[in-house]
Amino acid sequence: MDSLESKIKSNYGEKLRVRVCGICITEEGLLMVHHAALGKTGSLWAPPGGGMEYGENAHEALKREFIEETHLDIEVVKFIFVHEFLDPPLHGIELFFEVKITGGKLKKGVDPEMEADAQIITKVEFKSFEEIQQLPKAHLHYVIQNISSFDSLLSRTGYSKNK
């Protein structure tokens, strides 16, 4: 196991985490964050988000995560659905919210839980539906892999898990 994978396992692995994730759709597309060393292929595109901290409510956590990862300020519009992410050694209960941008300028951020020389965020960008469809499914977060449109993502409800 290389050192980046070891650091990911040490920071996030083999424990259940509660995560918040934001679905941010504009005329430019869906806001996505690219992570190295995650997923089955070591390349994962996912909506911005991350782990909640003790004493923090979900909206506060999501606003903090957006600033850390994208430098964007957001407003939480509504709760959409829950997804259980299980891809050993990672296990998370993910709360997905629709969000809208209220300020800031899009810029690649950092993962403060990882050291400066072990950052896993490599890109942040808006992707059109067509661009997402061109990516290998294995490079996409499970909730994005089989969407038929951005509206289908926003209209999801209930609980799902990766298959």
Side-chain angles (χ1 to χ4, degrees):
M1 185 180 303
D2 70 42
S3 72
L4 189 53
E5 288 174 340
S6 294
K7 289 176 184 178
I8 290 169
K9 184 175 180 180
S10 173
N11 285 342
Y12 309 113
E14 298 176 352
K15 56 187 140 199
L16 179 63
R17 298 180 72 223
V18 176
R19 300 184 73 249
V20 288
C21 304
I23 302 297
C24 180
I25 299 170
T26 70
E27 59 280 347
E28 297 175 75
L30 173 64
L31 182 57
M32 304 279 282
V33 176
H34 182 263
H35 303 270
L38 289 181
K40 295 186 185 323
T41 64
S43 172
L44 183 68
W45 284 96
M52 292 178 65
E53 296 175 357
Y54 179 79
E56 185 177 50
N57 73 47
H59 289 199
E60 292 168 346
L62 193 52
K63 290 176 181 181
R64 175 184 50 77
E65 287 291 341
F66 260 76
I67 289 170
E68 288 173 359
E69 293 185 358
T70 70
H71 294 267
L72 294 174
D73 297 309
I74 56 148
E75 174 184 320
V76 178
V77 176
K78 68 177 182 177
F79 173 72
I80 310 173
F81 61 92
V82 174
H83 177 260
E84 183 174 356
F85 182 93
L86 180 55
D87 209 351
L90 305 177
H91 189 187
I93 301 299
E94 300 174 316
L95 309 173
F96 278 83
F97 295 85
E98 179 183 0
V99 302
K100 70 177 183 179
I101 298 168
T102 59
K105 183 173 167 93
L106 184 62
K107 178 181 166 188
K108 179 177 72 80
V110 297
D111 185 335
E113 294 162 313
M114 298 294 285
E115 297 166 10
D117 65 344
Q119 287 295 304
I120 58 175
I121 296 173
T122 64
K123 297 177 193 171
V124 292
E125 58 189 51
F126 286 93
K127 293 219 171 271
S128 70
F129 182 74
E130 293 74 23
E131 289 172 313
I132 291 169
Q133 295 297 302
Q134 295 302 312
L135 292 168
K137 281 189 178 187
H139 291 228
L140 296 170
H141 186 288
Y142 292 104
V143 302
I144 307 298
Q145 287 182 358
N146 295 306
I147 60 172
S148 58
S149 67
F150 288 152
D151 286 338
S152 73
L153 183 59
L154 289 173
S155 64
R156 286 181 77 164
T157 59
Y159 165 86
S160 67
K161 62 182 179 177
N162 48 302
K163 297 174 181 168

